[in-house]
Amino acid sequence: MGLTSRTTVYAMVALSALCVALLVWLWPRLAKPGLWHVLGRLGAIGVTQVTIVAAFACGVNSSYQFFGSWNELFGNVDTAPVGVTQASGDNGGTISGISNVHGSLVQPAGDQQLSRVSGLPSGPPAVVGRVDSVKVIGKRTGVVDPAFVYLPPQYFQKAYQRQRFPVIVALSGYPGSIYNLAQHLRVPQTAAELQSKGEMQPTIIVMIRPTIAPPRDTECVNVPGGPQTETFLAKDLPLAIKSVYRAGHDASSWGVMGYSSGASCALQLTMRDPHVYTTAGALSPDYKVKDDPTTGNLFGSGLSRQARVDGHDLMWRLAHLPVPQVSVLVAHSKNGEKGYPETEAFIKAVKAPMRVVSILPENGSHNFPTWLRELPATLKWMNDQLTFPQDVVPQHHPKKTNQAGGKPSPSPSPSADHGSLRAEGTEPRPTAATHK
């Protein structure tokens, strides 16, 4: 039985119910004086409580996909295979445009999680777009990480067959999964709706988790002697996507967003790797990476430890290092979420050439309903910052030699009925509109 299957949940519920029934039935026999009877009562209560908690945990995990398998739960994760086989490429149910040079860095994956996501495109890809379920293989790190890749309808249309597309990487929080991004945050559904209304240019969206060594939370850090999460997300992931999909090659066409710890990661990647990502959307981020029980020691020891700690403190970077030429959006509720004062301090600390805008609802909690309200404005604003790539696929590629399409008309400024979206730093930008 799979960890996230309904069979596992029902089995755990049945087991907990059986334990409760046995506890009630055996209690009179255990309600006698003596050490063994006392130990019996304690053991019966303990077993019953454990099974109830396990059933509840399985139910929550099945809904939110914190851990996708038993191996992930116990920390046994896959590493990249020695030989990577090539996946076929067409416009049907397999991945499009797989490179046949030394195998593919993006492999088809099972659709068990994808099949449970509601509201995904249904119909011809050239009309509604498509979502691929894949595994991304890190060429440098050896990491194998699951991902969903949303491709807009234009990706499959003749007019765009030589055109590359901008990319937004969406990161889950900890210990979240790509299922959360698709089902609960509804990233591909929202992007498809915005694009169908002409409020967002055609964009590839890669949904991936930064938890590359579950159950450890590596916080997008290259851990000394441990998981190299930053390298995977800043080097391996763009390389893999560009090698398979018609994605823009310039950093100006790449952005990254996330919620919770994924939001912190998005800011870290953009400010630390501005040559890879030039735009970030951060929903409820932190601005400093710290060690805690879920992370373990992220920064190692010795004389270089403090330098690594400072390097992942964004406020320290703004005060002591050259400011990168990037654009970021931060979202935090004024009431109901921790961290609003830190968000205000971050906004005030940003200076040219970096730009920052904010979404600051009066009320909201650290949860999906709040982030769902903030997502449309975030996607539209990010999309306005990204350039639609002018580079085209070379004509010597036989499957990509049709006429390239023109550049879509600019999308309108973001607007919403929640919070406020405001620009800080340098002169106001046309895309920094006010939200009521």
Side-chain angles (χ1 to χ4, degrees):
M1 295 184 295
L3 179 60
T4 61
S5 71
R6 286 295 174 189
T7 303
T8 301
V9 176
Y10 295 149
M12 291 304 302
V13 170
L15 179 61
S16 63
L18 176 62
C19 287
V20 171
L22 288 174
L23 177 65
V24 173
W25 182 56
L26 292 174
W27 192 258
R29 302 184 183 186
L30 297 173
K32 297 178 181 179
L35 176 62
W36 291 110
H37 288 90
V38 171
L39 293 176
R41 292 195 295 272
L42 292 175
I45 293 173
V47 169
T48 302
Q49 289 182 333
V50 167
T51 56
I52 292 174
V53 171
F56 178 78
C58 282
V60 171
N61 186 68
S62 179
S63 296
Y64 289 93
Q65 301 281 311
F66 295 127
F67 299 99
S69 67
W70 294 105
N71 283 334
E72 285 188 8
L73 180 64
F74 295 110
N76 301 318
V77 295
D78 293 333
T79 58
V82 175
V84 180
T85 58
Q86 179 188 347
S88 60
D90 56 45
N91 287 339
T94 55
I95 303 171
S96 305
I98 292 290
S99 170
N100 60 5
V101 180
H102 305 301
S104 174
L105 297 176
V106 179
Q107 296 286 317
D111 64 352
Q112 293 88 348
Q113 292 192 80
L114 193 60
S115 63
R116 299 179 58 201
V117 177
S118 61
L120 292 178
S122 178
V127 177
V128 298
R130 193 181 72 195
V131 180
D132 289 338
S133 177
V134 302
K135 294 182 293 184
V136 177
I137 300 170
K139 185 175 182 179
R140 293 173 177 82
T141 60
V143 168
V144 178
D145 209 22
F148 293 152
V149 180
Y150 166 77
L151 303 171
Q154 290 83 353
Y155 191 90
F156 305 96
Q157 296 171 5
K158 275 191 173 182
Y160 290 83
Q161 282 190 351
R162 286 186 54 232
Q163 182 69 59
R164 301 189 190 274
F165 291 80
V167 179
I168 293 177
V169 175
L171 302 174
S172 65
Y174 175 82
S177 69
I178 55 177
Y179 176 82
N180 290 351
L181 289 164
Q183 175 65 18
H184 299 293
L185 193 57
R186 304 190 70 77
V187 172
Q189 300 91 325
T190 304
E193 181 180 357
L194 293 174
Q195 292 176 29
S196 68
K197 295 178 179 178
E199 298 178 357
M200 183 176 176
Q201 64 186 343
T203 303
I204 296 172
I205 299 182
V206 180
M207 291 154 276
I208 199 163
R209 59 181 188 179
T211 309
I212 65 171
R216 185 178 184 182
D217 179 14
T218 52
E219 290 281 342
C220 289
V221 172
N222 281 344
V223 180
Q228 303 295 288
T229 312
E230 183 176 10
T231 296
F232 175 74
L233 293 172
K235 297 184 183 298
D236 286 344
L237 177 62
L239 174 65
I241 296 300
K242 292 174 186 177
S243 72
V244 170
Y245 296 102
R246 299 198 311 275
H249 284 192
D250 191 81
S252 64
S253 61
W254 280 72
V256 57
M257 63 159 291
Y259 66 88
S260 191
S261 62
S264 307
C265 183
L267 290 178
Q268 293 277 342
L269 288 170
T270 304
M271 292 181 64
R272 290 175 56 85
D273 299 282
H275 59 288
V276 179
Y277 301 103
T278 57
T279 302
L283 310 181
S284 305
D286 290 322
Y287 303 95
K288 181 178 182 179
V289 176
K290 302 176 182 178
D291 289 342
D292 63 36
T294 65
T295 66
N297 184 355
L298 292 175
F299 304 107
S301 57
L303 297 177
S304 59
R305 173 181 168 82
Q306 189 58 47
R308 288 191 286 267
V309 171
D310 291 339
H312 288 276
D313 182 340
L314 300 186
M315 295 298 290
W316 185 92
R317 295 185 69 89
L318 288 172
H320 296 91
L321 298 178
V323 177
Q325 189 171 348
V326 296
S327 299
V328 301
L329 177 150
V330 290
H332 237 119
S333 301
K334 296 179 181 179
N335 300 289
E337 280 192 282
K338 297 179 180 180
Y340 176 71
E342 288 79 5
T343 293
E344 280 196 311
F346 177 81
I347 293 171
K348 292 177 181 178
V350 170
K351 52 193 174 186
M354 183 175 172
R355 301 172 187 267
V356 60
V357 299
S358 59
I359 298 177
L360 305 173
E362 286 295 328
N363 297 285
S365 300
H366 197 81
N367 56 26
F368 285 109
T370 298
W371 300 324
L372 271 171
R373 295 170 55 208
E374 299 164 346
L375 180 64
T378 300
L379 285 176
K380 287 192 287 186
W381 177 85
M382 290 186 67
N383 199 244
D384 284 340
Q385 314 311 307
L386 301 178
T387 60
F388 198 92
Q390 296 304 302
D391 55 334
V392 294
V393 178
Q395 294 199 23
H396 62 266
H397 288 232
K399 290 188 178 181
K400 306 172 184 177
T401 56
N402 292 328
Q403 181 182 358
K407 181 178 179 179
S409 58
S411 55
S413 299
S415 60
D417 58 359
H418 57 271
S420 61
L421 178 60
R422 65 188 191 196
E424 308 287 344
T426 61
E427 71 278 359
R429 305 190 73 184
T431 55
T434 301
H435 287 239
K436 297 180 180 180

